[in-house]
Amino acid sequence: MLNIKKTKLHVASALLLGSLMGASSMSFAETLKLSHNGDTKSPVHKALKFFADEVQEKTDGDLKVRVYPNGQLGTQRESLELLQSGALDMAKSNASELESFDPAYGAFNIPYIFRDREHFYRALASEDVGQKILSSSEKYGFVGVAYFDAGSRNFYTSKPVHSPADLKGMKIRVQPSPSAIKMMELMGASPTPLPFGELYTALQQRVVDGAENNIGAVTTYRHGEVAKYYTRDGHAMIPDVLVISTKTWEKLSDKNKAAVLAAGKDATAYMKKIWGEYTEEELKKATKMGVEIIDVDKDPFIKAVAPMFQEAEQNPVIAPYVKAIKALDK
Ligand code: GCU
């Protein structure tokens, strides 16, 4: 079942109009449903609205995108399953979540694989890395459209963390991703996979002692109300990814496919611009909320997770990407 609504004209009257005008084919506006788990105040929601506007403009209104925020259509995992069955058209997820659906995304999830933001952007734009990974999942039921900056991920916890030793015995929420679980075990914490939407309550009720994410989780999602320490160890830069169901993709005209990809590229650039400003603002807000920002020596964290890098180099699916990412580190 495909969620494409015929919104421009009623089918019967369009056919009648078509035959009256002698037109051999009529075009209908299609509306694609796009699900994501972010807040309407988040930069990613703005980037997705921007994407939707661009698609409409580039197709002269032939293709529309309706954005459903706040996990209204399900968790990230559920959205991906709906995408695979064709019951949903598009979703914004991230490389961590997608790793369980297409192992190629695991290349982005190796801790400390990116030196800095520029290295990260070079990898996303590279034909041998980012662009190849976007098209690697067609056989798994979805196609990658675009990447979005989601900053760097850091711990936020109910007690201060200065080194991996402080994480011992702490229950830390992770995304349902093999790499995230492995990373947490190597750092000495006990990983607890949970959907993002359940995290505030889990922190509040001390089901978990902490989590890890960009600073927006602390402010926009108010996790800083229930976890007062933010440790800037910068263990990962996990891109957000906009994907489309293979079933929907195959039904789009070549012109509309090109418009979707071009809108995706523009949305990536738009997000790059707004993300930097957002992060600076949110850091100030976190401090105002009474969250202590802890800067640490990253070396012990890097050492703890080093085995993941060696393992990745032996993994036939991700090794070529990992090698290519390293080669871009100049
Ligand atoms: C980031 C990411 C989300 C993801 C979340 C998480 O905020 O943008 O897509 O759901 O991390 O940790 O679950």
Side-chain angles (χ1 to χ4, degrees):
M1 207 244 315
L2 194 66
N3 281 302
I4 293 178
K5 277 192 218 143
K6 314 286 180 192
T7 51
K8 242 187 193 168
L9 292 165
H10 190 268
V11 180
S13 52
L15 286 175
L16 179 66
L17 188 64
S19 60
L20 284 174
M21 291 166 61
S24 53
S25 68
M26 292 289 296
S27 69
F28 300 97
E30 297 169 353
T31 300
L32 307 183
K33 285 189 179 176
L34 190 169
S35 162
H36 75 99
N37 68 356
D39 193 274
T40 48
K41 292 192 300 292
S42 64
V44 78
H45 183 71
K46 291 184 187 139
L48 293 170
K49 295 288 275 184
F50 177 93
F51 168 78
D53 290 345
E54 287 269 309
V55 168
Q56 181 160 348
E57 200 185 303
K58 287 183 194 300
T59 62
D60 296 319
D62 187 39
L63 191 63
K64 294 184 179 169
V65 176
R66 180 146 184 215
V67 181
Y68 293 82
N70 289 317
Q72 281 169 41
L73 301 185
T75 63
Q76 282 191 155
R77 171 160 294 234
E78 287 159 354
S79 295
L80 249 291
E81 285 163 0
L82 291 172
L83 226 69
Q84 288 179 312
S85 71
L88 176 70
D89 301 306
M90 300 191 80
K92 195 290 298 172
S93 187
N94 77 348
S96 218
E97 192 89 43
L98 290 176
E99 183 185 358
S100 310
F101 293 86
D102 174 1
Y105 280 98
F108 293 128
N109 304 335
I110 311 299
Y112 299 108
I113 193 160
F114 300 113
R115 173 179 299 272
D116 53 26
R117 198 165 178 235
E118 286 319 307
H119 181 207
F120 170 77
Y121 271 101
R122 271 200 297 278
L124 296 184
S126 153
E127 287 302 329
D128 296 336
V129 185
Q131 301 309 303
K132 204 164 170 182
I133 293 178
L134 286 182
S135 52
S136 71
S137 61
E138 197 159 353
K139 55 182 179 291
Y140 300 119
F142 61 97
V143 178
V145 170
Y147 293 108
F148 294 122
D149 205 326
S152 89
R153 295 182 76 103
N154 301 284
F155 287 101
Y156 56 96
T157 45
S158 56
K159 56 178 199 195
V161 170
H162 296 277
S163 75
D166 294 329
L167 287 164
K168 277 251 163 335
M170 284 176 87
K171 275 199 255 142
I172 304 291
R173 176 269 176 177
V174 290
Q175 285 195 252
S177 137
S179 298
I181 292 169
K182 182 83 206 211
M183 177 188 79
M184 212 51 74
E185 284 168 353
L186 287 171
M187 286 196 180
S190 138
T192 310
L194 278 179
F196 189 64
E198 290 174 26
L199 184 49
Y200 184 96
T201 313
L203 286 164
Q204 189 180 38
Q205 297 178 350
R206 294 283 183 261
V207 173
V208 290
D209 305 303
E212 47 78 58
N213 213 324
N214 59 59
I215 192 71
V218 169
T219 53
T220 306
Y221 299 89
R222 298 181 294 105
H223 295 177
E225 290 173 1
V226 283
K228 292 292 182 196
Y229 301 93
Y230 193 74
T231 297
R232 293 205 285 189
D233 66 309
H235 51 257
M237 296 176 85
I238 311 255
D240 273 4
V241 193
L242 177 61
V243 296
I244 186 165
S245 162
T246 302
K247 291 195 168 134
T248 303
W249 184 245
E250 282 167 351
K251 293 194 180 177
L252 293 183
S253 66
D254 286 349
K255 191 170 164 271
N256 285 353
K257 278 182 184 165
V260 164
L261 294 179
K265 282 219 162 27
D266 290 351
T268 301
Y270 171 76
M271 180 63 143
K272 186 176 185 183
K273 207 170 93 205
I274 64 171
W275 184 265
E277 297 156 16
Y278 171 74
T279 307
E280 272 178 37
E281 278 307 305
E282 299 316 291
L283 258 180
K284 287 184 215 148
K285 280 190 202 159
T287 309
K288 276 200 198 123
M289 282 172 91
V291 173
E292 188 182 325
I293 310 291
I294 303 174
D295 284 314
V296 289
D297 171 11
K298 291 184 185 174
D299 278 355
F301 292 90
I302 296 173
K303 279 202 188 94
V305 293
M308 284 182 77
F309 205 82
Q310 283 129 29
E311 263 175 44
E313 286 178 323
Q314 306 301 321
N315 175 327
V317 179
I318 62 171
Y321 299 121
V322 170
K323 227 174 122 193
I325 293 174
K326 271 278 124 196
L328 290 167
D329 181 10
K330 302 226 168 67

